[in-house]
Amino acid sequence: MFNEKLVESLSKSSMIRAMFEEGARLKKLYGEENVFDFSLGNPEMEPPNEVVESLKKYILNGEPGLHKYMNNAGHIDVRQKVAEYLQKKSGIPLTYENIVMVCGAAAGLNIALKALLNPGEEVIVLAPFFVEYLSYIENASGSPVIVKTMKDSFQIDADAVEMAITNKTKAIIINSPNNPTGVVYTKRTLERLKEVIERKEDEFGTSIYVISDEPYVSIVYDGVEVPNILSMFEKSIIVNSFSKSLALAGERIGYIAASSRIPEVDILMAAMISLNRTLGFVNAPSLFQKVVADNLEVAVDTEGYKKKRDLLYGHLTSIGFECVKPGGAFYLFMKTPVEDDRAFCRTAARFNILLVPGSGFGCPGYVRIAYCCDYSMIERSLDAFTKLAREYGLL
Ligand code: PLP
């Protein structure tokens, strides 16, 4: 038998894959145009022109040796540019030595967790959450401790976090703007979290690291401000990627930045750089390191996402569905009119609408709607949502 635990977990983790297969079946049956697939967070947008131009530049006039192995942490000039960019935003002194380039946020999270955790140490995860966190924590031999966010706002419930912290708590993962809710944590919420963490560190004599998973940090609407985590939390580790902000998900490029205020940060950095190699990533893609370093201030068309959010949010709430208005990312987390979110998804599929049950994000009673799709698909889906609302007596 292969890895038995893994094989068993495959059947549990197949929800998004099941949606994908259902989508393929429906598209074959009714035609691509008539199926409304909101299941995947895979941006439909192409990378901005600036990215294409840098890519051309490096392909045509690349420096010699660009395609060779390099230091496991990445190109020093790229790391230095990332450090300067983050220092400007946070006011925290950073150099290339605080940065490691990685194969996307997924690799960054695995590396950061494995560098921090001793077996059995706990990591607080705020529900609803990006479900892969649980696997990443397990990969690092840690234990996830799930803490619910506030019922109606999905902001952090600092009191609940305080109750969950033990002398084994090593880290908390925060993700804002959030997948799956689209919520941006407010400064007030984060200040409360900071107070709680500091109080508990004093009580237990421990260190609790804040891992900030930020792939959506530049996709925000209506001037919403995303509080800067490096400047707020002394022991912060930023994990970011260009999968969403530059629509480069398939190119696997991102970075980890460890705050210079972390005691013995040089040891942490050495551990993370070594893990980039030993976990088998070796180094982040060379060409794309250079490309993203040219484009740190560039982002995809957030106005385009905002238009999609407004159309969908406006329609759903006008026909009786409830959801928090997302301040960023490209997800809506909608309350289901019945408790059973999986049954709701099956009913939605009868109207050719594909959604992901909130249970998959540790939050039953909701569904995630990923609107990183074509605007015209959202327009075509509105009637189907109206029929779905009627089915549940909302209209
Ligand atoms: N974290 C969150 C919250 C995500 O939504 C995703 C991808 O959807 C990731 C991390 C992984 O991103 P990457 O493609 O950079 O590995």
Side-chain angles (χ1 to χ4, degrees):
M1 183 54 167
F2 309 114
N3 178 334
E4 287 175 31
K5 199 165 158 208
L6 188 61
V7 171
E8 197 200 312
S9 78
L10 293 179
S11 58
K12 289 190 200 137
S13 69
S14 63
M15 196 149 54
I16 293 195
R17 200 181 54 208
M19 297 305 302
F20 185 74
E21 280 162 14
E22 175 67 356
R25 190 185 71 83
L26 291 174
K27 282 173 195 164
K28 216 165 157 191
L29 216 58
Y30 300 105
E32 193 106 7
E33 290 285 291
N34 302 312
V35 177
F36 316 116
D37 189 349
F38 293 99
S39 63
L40 286 182
N42 197 4
E44 151 281 334
M45 280 186 195
E46 291 298 329
N49 280 340
E50 293 92 323
V51 168
V52 177
E53 288 309 316
S54 310
L55 194 47
K56 280 191 207 159
K57 177 179 88 183
Y58 289 110
I59 288 174
L60 297 175
N61 314 311
E63 307 136 34
L66 183 59
H67 305 292
K68 291 192 170 152
Y69 285 129
M70 69 188 76
N71 182 310
N72 302 118
H75 296 296
I76 289 184
D77 60 328
V78 169
R79 292 161 67 203
Q80 185 59 31
K81 279 190 191 167
V82 173
E84 282 164 17
Y85 171 77
L86 294 177
Q87 176 171 319
K88 200 168 87 187
K89 292 214 144 206
S90 65
I92 301 298
L94 295 168
T95 73
Y96 74 91
E97 290 181 305
N98 297 92
I99 310 294
V100 48
M101 300 305 294
V102 292
C103 299
L109 290 163
N110 273 287
I111 290 169
L113 287 163
K114 203 164 172 78
L116 289 177
L117 298 180
N118 292 294
E121 286 182 330
E122 294 167 358
V123 180
I124 295 192
V125 173
L126 303 169
F129 48 81
F130 177 57
V131 72
E132 308 286 17
Y133 292 157
L134 305 186
S135 309
Y136 301 165
I137 294 167
E138 190 175 324
N139 292 344
S141 308
S143 306
V145 173
I146 294 167
V147 176
K148 285 191 184 142
T149 51
M150 301 286 229
K151 198 166 181 315
D152 294 317
S153 64
F154 298 116
Q155 292 287 328
I156 301 172
D157 182 343
D159 295 334
V161 172
E162 181 154 23
M163 291 208 298
I165 293 178
T166 71
N167 61 356
K168 285 198 191 154
T169 305
K170 194 59 167 285
I172 174 166
I173 303 179
I174 56 175
N175 167 228
S176 168
N178 183 266
N179 175 10
T181 64
V183 161
V184 176
Y185 295 147
T186 63
K187 185 120 200 219
R188 179 77 203 105
T189 297
L190 292 163
E191 275 164 357
R192 286 272 297 116
L193 178 67
K194 183 177 152 77
E195 283 161 25
V196 160
I197 289 178
E198 287 175 357
R199 197 161 47 240
K200 286 292 177 183
E201 284 181 325
D202 280 350
E203 181 183 333
F204 292 123
T206 52
S207 291
I208 301 174
Y209 298 83
V210 174
I211 303 177
S212 184
D213 177 26
E214 305 190 348
Y216 303 97
V217 76
S218 51
I219 305 177
V220 282
Y221 314 123
D222 309 323
V224 167
E225 217 175 290
V226 186
N228 190 283
I229 301 301
L230 272 174
S231 64
M232 287 191 77
F233 293 88
E234 194 179 305
K235 290 189 259 337
S236 51
I237 299 171
I238 309 299
V239 177
N240 205 343
S241 86
F242 301 88
S243 292
K244 319 286 171 164
S245 62
L246 295 180
L248 289 174
E251 304 299 349
R252 315 306 307 136
I253 184 72
Y255 59 80
I256 308 175
S259 172
S260 53
R261 295 192 291 170
I262 295 175
E264 300 186 304
V265 68
D266 50 332
I267 301 177
L268 175 64
M269 286 306 303
M272 294 200 292
I273 293 166
S274 155
L275 281 163
N276 211 11
R277 186 183 80 247
T278 55
L279 287 176
F281 304 113
V282 183
N283 59 251
S286 175
L287 190 56
F288 274 90
Q289 287 188 45
K290 294 281 184 183
V291 169
V292 297
D294 284 352
N295 290 286
L296 293 171
E297 307 270 0
V298 178
V300 288
D301 170 24
T302 44
E303 271 308 301
Y305 280 134
K306 179 176 144 50
K307 269 170 67 186
K308 293 174 191 181
R309 178 205 64 173
D310 289 346
L311 177 64
L312 199 54
Y313 175 81
H315 183 71
L316 292 173
T317 49
S318 77
I319 58 176
F321 287 112
E322 283 175 52
C323 55
V324 179
K325 191 171 188 176
F330 37 60
Y331 306 105
L332 274 162
F333 206 52
M334 187 175 86
K335 203 167 178 166
T336 51
V338 284
E339 246 175 62
D340 186 344
D341 50 333
R342 290 167 200 263
F344 180 80
C345 285
R346 284 195 294 274
T347 308
R350 282 208 278 117
F351 295 93
N352 292 353
I353 303 172
L354 299 176
L355 310 171
V356 184
S359 322
F361 304 93
C363 192
Y366 291 83
V367 283
R368 188 190 77 173
I369 307 177
Y371 57 87
C372 48
C373 54
D374 208 42
Y375 189 82
S376 65
M377 188 195 91
I378 302 178
E379 287 180 313
R380 287 197 309 276
S381 74
L382 299 182
D383 257 6
F385 275 113
T386 305
K387 286 181 192 144
L388 183 62
R390 276 210 195 93
E391 178 84 6
Y392 283 95
L394 300 179
L395 280 175

